[in-house]
Amino acid sequence: MSKYPIILKTSFFLTFLSAISLSFGQKSIDTVALSDLQRHLSVIASDAMEGRETGTPGIEKAAVYLETEFKRLGLSPGNGKKYRQEYRTPEENLKACNIVAQIEGSIFPNEYVVVSAHYDHLGVYNGVIYNGADDDGSGTAALLAMAEALMRLKKLGKGPQRSVVFIAFSGEEKGLWGSSYFSDHPTIPLEKVSCDINIDMIGRIDPDRRTADTNHYVFIVGQSRLSSETQRILRALNDNTQRLTLDEKFDHKKDPNRIYYRSDHYNFAKKGVPVVFFYDGMLGGDYHEPTDDIELIDWEVYHKRTNFILDFTMSLANRETLLKRDLAE
Ligand SMILES: [Zn+2]
């Protein structure tokens, strides 16, 4: 997740320096393999990726990994013949890219559910690599594991009825650059997007939550805005599947952390596309620290959250209509 609630022009390094700061339900689809999450995250959050800072050779390795995996799984390139959507960064005019891959819907191929996560992080500072295992290696690995699960379902004839578009954004940590570019140059018509389901940090348990009666929680944000249907669908689905504690406090319009404005979903919401943001609530502790490493991931909760996001993706892909756009922001 970005430190920036809105797109700022401030020098990255200046702000960087100053801000250091279950049980499975019977009806769940439950097809994300834990081993897939582990395999992908161990690559994405490895030192070899050099912290994945936008515009560096490290993030290029991550981009190649994403392209290779989407191709291996059989997803279609989402930008014409390419998985890459290239753009130049606003500040240093460096080359950067989003990675877009899609699975064609069986009944409504020209309607879409977007699942997004950012694959960039903070890079290397003073010789220390910031691996960003939770932020947002967890979301990036979830995209790949979900894509693999959906392709398995598709081969069984149970694939999504609407097209599902996976987007790995770059430039998020710098100020939501990749999603800003995408929302101005979309590869699919935004009016045909039911929802952007954005995942940014879902692999950890916030230490503040450890005193609660369950660690099986996830924060959801955006569900009460733009569409009157989203919140009801999420709650009912959760009751019938993963039974997570859905914590909605960051969705409050007066949330002082302004989480709604701080990750890539906001660039979809700005264009009127309903959004739901999934998040583990980490703001202190290892957030934006070099200690955000794979060893601190809680695999059981991460797996459960990813399965819930897959269930939600399928429920939007398979319902009769796109989400209504009947609320103001
Ligand atoms: Zn971040």
Side-chain angles (χ1 to χ4, degrees):
M1 176 151 67
S2 179
K3 291 197 306 302
Y4 309 124
I6 47 168
I7 298 159
L8 299 176
K9 301 287 182 205
T10 323
S11 153
F12 170 64
F13 278 114
L14 283 177
T15 42
F16 178 60
L17 285 171
S18 67
I20 293 306
S21 142
L22 128 112
S23 66
F24 292 99
Q26 289 180 324
K27 292 180 198 161
S28 171
I29 297 169
D30 190 23
T31 48
V32 171
L34 176 59
S35 58
D36 287 341
L37 288 174
Q38 290 171 328
R39 181 165 49 88
H40 294 307
L41 190 56
S42 68
V43 175
I44 291 158
S46 68
D47 286 353
M49 302 271 166
E50 298 165 354
R52 310 185 302 281
E53 184 183 0
T54 301
T56 66
I59 196 172
E60 174 58 22
K61 290 182 199 165
V64 169
Y65 182 73
L66 284 160
E67 286 176 307
T68 306
E69 287 297 301
F70 280 133
K71 190 170 180 190
R72 177 182 70 79
L73 295 170
L75 279 81
S76 312
N79 188 25
K81 292 187 175 143
K82 298 185 300 183
Y83 293 98
R84 285 182 189 232
Q85 182 189 45
E86 279 148 342
Y87 65 95
R88 299 205 75 93
T89 64
E91 277 175 16
E92 292 159 22
N93 203 27
L94 299 169
K95 261 173 77 174
C97 66
N98 301 321
I99 306 292
V100 189
Q102 63 193 61
I103 298 175
E104 183 159 285
S106 55
I107 296 180
F108 312 108
N110 299 319
E111 296 182 356
Y112 306 90
V113 177
V114 170
V115 186
S116 59
H118 73 89
Y119 72 102
D120 68 304
H121 193 54
L122 304 174
V124 181
Y125 187 72
N126 273 349
V128 179
I129 303 173
Y130 287 67
N131 284 321
D134 189 32
D135 184 7
D136 185 24
S138 62
T140 308
L143 289 194
L144 291 172
M146 287 175 64
E148 189 143 6
L150 287 187
M151 290 306 285
R152 273 198 297 271
L153 285 173
K154 193 175 164 80
K155 282 180 190 134
L156 297 169
K158 295 176 185 169
Q161 295 179 10
R162 281 190 180 77
S163 296
V164 175
V165 181
F166 292 96
I167 311 178
F169 288 118
S170 59
E172 196 272 354
E173 301 285 15
K174 308 279 197 182
L176 317 187
W177 288 350
S179 55
S180 174
Y181 185 86
F182 184 91
S183 67
D184 286 335
H185 307 85
T187 57
I188 49 175
L190 293 183
E191 62 276 14
K192 295 292 182 188
V193 175
S194 184
C195 186
D196 169 44
I197 300 168
N198 187 41
I199 313 169
D200 190 356
M201 304 167 65
I202 56 162
R204 296 280 305 274
I205 296 172
D206 182 351
D208 291 348
R209 301 274 321 188
R210 289 195 184 272
T211 51
D213 53 357
T214 176
N215 289 327
H216 290 181
Y217 73 93
V218 70
F219 288 99
I220 50 174
V221 182
Q223 66 279 3
S224 67
R225 313 189 198 212
L226 298 168
S227 175
S228 62
E229 297 179 307
T230 322
Q231 192 169 47
R232 180 177 48 78
I233 292 170
L234 271 166
R235 289 175 178 176
L237 178 73
N238 183 52
D239 287 347
N240 287 321
T241 57
Q242 303 293 338
R243 296 174 178 268
L244 287 156
T245 297
L246 297 182
D247 194 321
E248 307 195 38
K249 82 169 181 187
F250 289 127
D251 191 49
H252 196 281
K253 301 268 193 319
K254 291 186 177 154
D255 165 34
N257 297 296
R258 293 176 61 80
I259 299 293
Y260 179 65
Y261 304 94
R262 285 175 60 178
S263 186
D264 294 308
H265 55 276
Y266 182 61
N267 280 316
F268 287 85
K270 258 174 33 182
K271 302 278 183 182
V273 179
V275 301
V276 180
F277 173 41
F278 289 90
Y279 169 49
D280 60 22
M282 293 291 292
L283 275 177
D286 301 288
Y287 170 70
H288 282 198
E289 293 284 347
T291 44
D292 177 7
D293 273 320
I294 196 165
E295 289 75 19
L296 297 179
I297 296 294
D298 186 303
W299 295 103
E300 186 188 1
V301 174
Y302 176 27
H303 186 211
K304 196 170 168 110
R305 288 168 178 155
T306 309
N307 274 322
F308 182 55
I309 297 166
L310 183 76
D311 291 342
F312 182 52
T313 303
M314 281 299 271
S315 84
L316 294 186
N318 291 352
R319 69 197 291 273
E320 259 174 41
T321 55
L322 299 172
L323 286 176
K324 264 191 248 173
R325 300 183 182 188
D326 57 345
L327 299 179
E329 187 187 60

